[in-house]
């Protein structure tokens, strides 16, 4: 989950921390998960039974553990049970978060850099937007030019609204970017902002409606490049779009490398370039780019990208070693569990992989009953039975193998059902699931490599099968 604002505090779930100004307070993993669950149901009364079933699923505990966790959250927030500003106790009913969370607005402070960069990786690919990392500097316009304060201020207002991703806010943001361009026609950041509005709209509409929106966004980004040819962020966004949506890998490489040439000190440049290199099967180069990213942003050492590279390079034992390093440093999060599932399955350790499936279900909000049913399926037939049951129950969530329909294809591979797997892969291709871009190099697809339709899908994606 991304950082968010709760009253006076910035909540960082990945760091289990609360920040207010220069003050940072830590929460243990379980109280943080409880706070997140309350935040997801703000202004709703949640019973003690609901909270115990969700946070302590499958464990025999008393209500005391809930009371202690609530007390720890209140202490960290500086809250009071008698005069609550955050968590209200409703006797005989449960608890309610009475301070609704809000999205974290983009700023120029170091706080912005704490946003987890792995949201752009295939580990948790959702919406690959780069506006969280857009540098708010004078270099946003043509080189050497100083943006007008009026235009820049209008752009900043639009960028703030962009962070909410709500339809009415997107319309207002788009209008503000237009006004910024009227004040300063050379303000490349405003063109970038208009492109982001279109990309956000495309992510929330049908494939047929999304295509023209993305085409318009690309035109705006290319125009921004003309006005600000030396802007690294424009180059990076172009590279990502050419890679993930235009599927022009040659141009994508050019833009990624140009972005690094312009601003090699920005870790996100190396991070996204590493994702591209992995898809191209250039694992050594991807590893170097990832090491560079960690050198520049050591606070993100816990991102399991290095482990994923080793797994893709068919070195699952080395990948597992990288995960164990992370586990020794911090509480495993959802991306950790997803990576562990893939790596442990490649090692043939299904029992351990299943443990991480259960952890993923718990962190994703599945009920105690659903988790119990999943355990029963594993007892009956192992992971193969679990994955078949997921398909039967139409569980489309990302539980280690991305979302459906791609998840179903991977479950079918596990069940040794190649024809079913190909059927689901074709549906994933029609849905333009981004994770397919790593299909040529991911060893999980090895059972399908001799299937003619698998090579047809690779060819349609513009991917080449790995060298033997």
């Amino acid at each position: 989950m991304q950082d968010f604002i709760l009253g006076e505090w910035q909540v960082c779930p990945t760091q289990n921390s609360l920040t207010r100004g220069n003050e940072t307070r830590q929460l243990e993993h379980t109280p943080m998960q409880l706070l997140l669950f309350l935040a997801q149901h703000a202004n709703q009364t949640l019973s003690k039974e609901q909270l115990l079933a969700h946070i302590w699923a499958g464990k025999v505990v008393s209500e005391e553990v809930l009371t202690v966790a609530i007390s720890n959250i209140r202490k960290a927030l500086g809250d009071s049970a008698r005069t609550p500003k955050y968590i209200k106790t409703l006797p005989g009913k449960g608890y309610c978060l009475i301070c609704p969370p809000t999205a974290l607005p983009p700023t120029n402070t170091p706080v912005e850099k704490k946003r987890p960069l792995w949201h752009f990786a295939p580990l948790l690919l959702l919406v690959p937007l780069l506006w969280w990392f857009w540098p708010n500097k004078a270099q946003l316009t043509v080189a050497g030019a100083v943006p007008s304060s009026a235009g820049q201020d209008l752009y900043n207002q639009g960028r703030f609204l962009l962070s909410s991703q709500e339809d009415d806010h997107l319309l207002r943001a788009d209008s503000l970017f237009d006004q910024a361009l009227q004040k300063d026609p050379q303000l490349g950041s405003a063109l970038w902002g208009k492109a982001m509005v279109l990309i956000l709209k495309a992510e929330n509409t049908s494939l047929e409606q999304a295509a023209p929106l993305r085409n318009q966004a690309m035109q705006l980004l290319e125009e921004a490049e003309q006005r600000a040819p030396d802007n690294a962020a424009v180059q990076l966004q172009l590279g990502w779009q050419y890679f993930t949506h235009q599927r022009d890998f040659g141009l994508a490489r050019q833009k990624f490398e140009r972005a690094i040439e312009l601003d090699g000190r920005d870790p996100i440049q190396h991070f996204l370039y590493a994702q591209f290199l992995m898809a191209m099967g250039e694992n050594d180069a991807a590893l170097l780019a990832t090491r560079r990213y960690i050198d520049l942003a050591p606070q993100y050492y816990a991102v399991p990208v290095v482990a994923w590279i080793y797994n893709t390079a068919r070195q699952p034992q080395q990948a597992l070693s990288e995960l164990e390093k992370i586990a020794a440093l911090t509480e495993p999060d959802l991306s950790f569990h997803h990576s562990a599932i893939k790596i442990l399955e490649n090692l043939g350790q299904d029992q351990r992989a299943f443990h991480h499936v259960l952890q993923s279900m718990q962190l994703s909000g599945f009920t105690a009953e659903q988790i119990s049913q999943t355990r029963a399926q594993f007892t009956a037939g192992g992971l193969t039975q679990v994955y078949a049951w997921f398909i039967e129950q139409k569980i489309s969530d990302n539980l280690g193998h991305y979302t459906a329909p791609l998840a179903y294809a991977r479950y079918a591979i596990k069940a040794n059902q190649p024809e079913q797997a190909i059927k689901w892969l074709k549906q994933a291709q029609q849905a333009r699931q981004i994770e397919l871009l790593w299909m040529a190099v991911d060893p999980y697809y090895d059972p399908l490599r001799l299937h003619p339709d698998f090579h047809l899908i690779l060819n349609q994606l513009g991917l080449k099968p790995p060298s033997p």
Side-chain angles (χ1 to χ4, degrees):
M1 186 176 181
Q2 296 181 350
D3 295 10
F4 60 91
I5 299 298
L6 188 66
E8 302 173 332
W9 298 92
Q10 177 182 325
V11 182
C12 181
T14 59
Q15 303 290 330
N16 288 331
S17 66
L18 306 172
T19 301
R20 178 178 60 185
N22 295 324
E23 179 184 8
T24 298
R25 297 181 181 180
Q26 295 297 134
L27 268 180
E28 292 184 357
H29 177 71
T30 298
M32 176 59 76
Q33 294 305 308
L34 177 58
L35 178 59
L36 294 181
F37 191 58
L38 290 167
Q40 291 166 6
H41 301 83
N43 293 321
Q44 299 178 33
T45 300
L46 299 177
S47 68
K48 294 180 179 180
E49 291 75 16
Q50 284 178 285
L51 296 172
L52 288 168
H54 180 78
I55 305 300
W56 289 273
K59 298 179 181 178
V60 179
V61 295
S62 66
E63 289 187 3
E64 184 180 355
V65 297
L66 175 60
T67 303
V68 171
I70 290 289
S71 176
N72 289 339
I73 296 172
R74 282 177 169 153
K75 182 177 179 181
L77 291 169
D79 200 15
S80 166
R82 292 188 176 182
T83 56
K85 294 189 299 180
Y86 295 96
I87 300 175
K88 183 177 181 180
T89 302
L90 291 91
K93 294 183 179 181
Y95 299 95
C96 177
L97 185 71
I98 58 176
C99 178
T102 58
L104 180 66
T107 69
N108 287 331
T109 68
V111 169
E112 179 177 306
K113 289 294 183 180
K114 292 182 180 179
R115 182 166 298 277
L117 301 184
W118 61 90
H119 283 264
F120 297 98
L123 300 169
L124 289 176
L125 269 171
L126 299 173
V127 183
L129 303 177
L130 299 184
W131 43 268
W132 291 111
F133 304 99
W134 184 264
N136 197 6
K137 302 175 183 177
Q139 68 172 13
L140 292 171
T141 57
V142 281
V146 178
S148 66
S149 58
Q152 185 67 36
D153 186 59
L154 288 165
Y155 160 74
N156 289 337
Q157 294 176 44
R159 185 172 179 267
F160 174 80
L161 291 174
L162 203 60
S163 67
S164 74
Q165 302 185 32
E166 296 180 9
D167 289 342
D168 60 333
H169 285 186
L170 291 181
L171 290 173
R172 290 174 58 194
D174 194 47
S175 175
L176 286 165
F177 293 141
D178 280 331
Q179 294 176 48
L181 286 168
Q182 291 175 4
K183 295 288 184 180
D184 184 357
Q186 294 302 313
L187 194 61
S189 56
L191 285 173
W192 172 87
K194 287 180 66 65
M196 293 302 100
V197 169
L198 292 170
I199 291 172
L200 278 169
K201 288 181 178 179
E203 293 293 339
N204 294 295
T205 189
S206 67
L207 287 175
E208 293 77 11
Q209 294 174 318
L213 293 175
R214 291 193 180 281
N215 290 336
Q216 293 176 47
M218 284 300 298
Q219 291 174 6
L220 289 169
L221 288 171
E222 289 167 352
E223 187 177 350
E225 181 184 28
Q226 292 177 0
R227 299 189 188 188
D230 294 330
N231 185 271
V234 170
Q235 296 293 324
L236 186 63
Q237 182 62 275
L238 279 168
W240 188 252
Q241 292 300 317
Y242 279 129
F243 169 40
T244 58
H245 294 287
Q246 302 294 319
R247 309 284 168 81
D248 188 330
F249 303 139
L251 269 178
R253 185 186 297 273
Q254 290 178 25
K255 301 305 179 185
F256 282 131
E257 292 179 352
R258 177 62 175 156
I260 292 172
E261 178 185 350
L262 290 168
D263 187 8
R265 297 292 301 173
D266 187 349
I268 189 63
Q269 320 276 20
H270 301 278
F271 182 84
L272 294 186
Y273 188 39
Q275 311 311 308
F276 170 78
L277 291 170
M278 274 192 284
M280 298 298 104
E282 301 174 32
N283 290 308
D284 290 343
L287 190 59
L288 286 174
T290 302
R291 294 295 187 192
R292 179 60 174 158
Y293 139 74
I294 293 174
D295 287 344
L296 292 169
Q299 65 269 37
Y300 297 116
Y301 182 86
V303 181
V305 178
V306 174
W308 194 59
I309 293 174
Y310 278 124
N311 194 49
T312 301
R314 301 171 186 277
Q315 301 178 50
Q317 193 60 56
Q318 184 65 38
L320 185 60
S321 297
E322 290 294 328
L323 278 188
E324 289 170 348
K325 292 179 186 177
I326 294 172
L329 294 173
T330 186
E331 186 76 26
D333 62 8
L334 199 55
S335 65
F336 177 94
H337 293 299
H338 289 175
S339 296
I341 290 166
K342 300 179 183 71
I343 292 167
L344 290 168
E345 282 193 52
N346 280 351
L347 287 168
Q349 300 182 25
D350 284 7
Q351 180 73 51
R352 293 179 64 189
F354 179 64
H355 164 76
H356 293 282
V357 171
L358 295 179
Q359 293 297 311
S360 296
M361 294 182 74
Q362 183 172 345
L363 291 175
S364 298
F366 282 76
T367 66
E369 181 181 359
Q370 288 173 312
I371 293 175
S372 177
Q373 290 173 336
T374 305
R375 291 181 187 274
Q377 295 297 325
F378 185 80
T379 300
L383 266 183
T384 298
Q385 179 70 23
V386 168
Y387 290 160
W389 185 73
F390 282 169
I391 296 175
E392 178 185 330
Q393 297 295 313
K394 298 181 180 179
I395 295 176
S396 60
D397 305 64
N398 183 358
L399 292 175
H401 287 288
Y402 315 115
T403 58
L406 182 56
Y408 296 162
R410 293 170 69 92
Y411 297 160
I413 290 173
K414 183 72 174 179
N416 193 26
Q417 298 176 354
E419 297 304 326
Q420 287 297 309
I422 291 293
K423 182 192 78 170
W424 291 115
L425 280 179
K426 289 179 178 178
Q427 292 191 23
Q429 183 186 9
Q430 291 174 357
R432 294 185 67 83
Q433 283 194 255
I434 290 176
E435 296 91 347
L436 284 173
L437 291 172
W438 290 268
M439 190 172 70
V441 296
D442 190 337
Y444 205 84
Y445 298 100
D446 283 355
L448 301 180
R449 297 211 181 271
L450 296 180
H451 197 294
D453 284 354
F454 183 79
H455 286 269
L456 178 62
I457 295 171
L458 286 180
N459 185 59
Q460 291 171 342
L461 290 170
L463 299 170
K464 297 179 179 179
S467 302

